[in-house]
Amino acid sequence: MDSDSATVDAAPLGRRERSKAALRQRLLEAALAAFAEKGYRASTIDEIAERADVARATAFNHYPRKEDFLLELILKRRQSIREGLEQQLQAGERSVLDVIQGVARAAAHSYEADRETNQAMMRAVLHSGVMATAGSHSTGLLFGQAIAVGQERGEIRTDLDAFAIGNLLFDSYVGILYRWGLDEVEVSLEEAFGTVHDVVVTGISPR
């Protein structure tokens, strides 16, 4: 979808890069475990380093601030959404709205697969205020770009702003995730996300 997206497969990582990636993943997992057990505010980078079995200086070298763990997790989720949208839109086998629904369903399954850890992540995001600096509008932009494709195909009303719709979708999904993190959503994430989809489809489908 983006004009600067890579068109060739990335070169395989070397041993040093693989080792670095594995270390960062171990630190991320240790951070999430700490957040789930003690809460975001009570957790420290020292404790995260100990859980990951690395030196304190090593942990600080990769993640200088506690919110950096959350920022990386958010970026990983955003990249997953981007890849899902791009691959399915390029295939051209499904409508844009069906593609968005499929991406949302996959995200719901991913969050529910490790409910306790992901709820802890959402609580940490809320308590840290990290979304204010995470460029969260980028995901709304991704949805907006997809909606614009749907307008070009004649699948979506063209009298509506594509990026306003994209942000509406993103804000709805994130709002549900926040409440889910606080254990305030009584239905499954897939069902909750599906309600958003059904309501939006009704409003933006061609009359």
Side-chain angles (χ1 to χ4, degrees):
M1 282 167 50
D2 293 338
S3 60
D4 60 349
S5 294
T7 57
V8 296
D9 292 336
L13 294 176
R15 180 181 299 175
R16 182 175 181 181
E17 288 77 13
R18 291 197 304 272
S19 177
K20 181 179 178 180
L23 174 58
R24 290 180 68 87
Q25 183 61 34
R26 195 160 83 242
L27 283 163
L28 282 175
E29 291 172 359
L32 279 175
F35 298 160
E37 181 179 324
K38 302 183 64 175
Y40 176 78
R41 294 194 178 105
S43 300
T44 66
I45 295 183
D46 283 356
E47 178 186 359
I48 292 168
E50 184 175 349
R51 285 174 179 266
D53 194 25
V54 302
R56 178 179 185 270
T58 300
F60 274 97
N61 183 53
H62 286 276
Y63 299 98
R65 305 170 303 165
K66 193 165 57 173
E67 56 263 39
D68 289 332
F69 292 102
L70 296 174
L71 284 169
E72 178 148 340
L73 288 165
I74 290 170
L75 291 175
K76 284 178 178 290
R77 299 291 169 94
R78 185 181 301 155
Q79 181 62 24
S80 177
I81 291 172
R82 177 186 293 278
E83 291 173 354
L85 285 173
E86 289 182 345
Q87 291 170 5
Q88 295 185 53
L89 287 175
Q90 289 172 3
E93 299 173 352
R94 304 167 63 193
S95 72
V96 167
L97 290 174
D98 282 348
V99 167
I100 291 175
Q101 184 179 36
V103 169
R105 183 182 295 118
H109 289 170
S110 176
Y111 277 99
E112 293 278 17
D114 191 352
R115 184 184 181 93
E116 182 179 351
T117 298
N118 284 309
Q119 283 185 318
M121 173 187 166
M122 293 313 302
R123 290 193 299 272
V125 169
L126 274 171
H127 294 156
S128 68
V130 74
M131 285 298 283
T133 59
S136 59
H137 66 284
S138 296
T139 307
L141 180 64
L142 293 177
F143 286 132
Q145 290 171 327
I147 293 296
V149 172
Q151 290 175 326
E152 293 173 359
R153 295 179 181 178
E155 300 170 357
I156 297 170
R157 287 170 51 186
T158 57
D159 60 319
L160 301 173
D161 181 81
F163 297 99
I165 298 171
N167 284 319
L168 173 64
L169 285 167
F170 173 70
D171 292 344
S172 299
Y173 292 143
V174 169
I176 289 170
L177 279 173
Y178 283 155
R179 292 195 298 277
W180 177 79
L182 297 172
D183 214 18
E184 295 176 353
V185 177
E186 297 181 358
V187 299
S188 69
L189 272 181
E190 181 176 351
E191 185 176 346
F193 285 175
T195 298
V196 172
H197 177 83
D198 291 344
V199 171
V200 171
V201 167
T202 301
I204 69 177
S205 296
R207 294 171 178 170

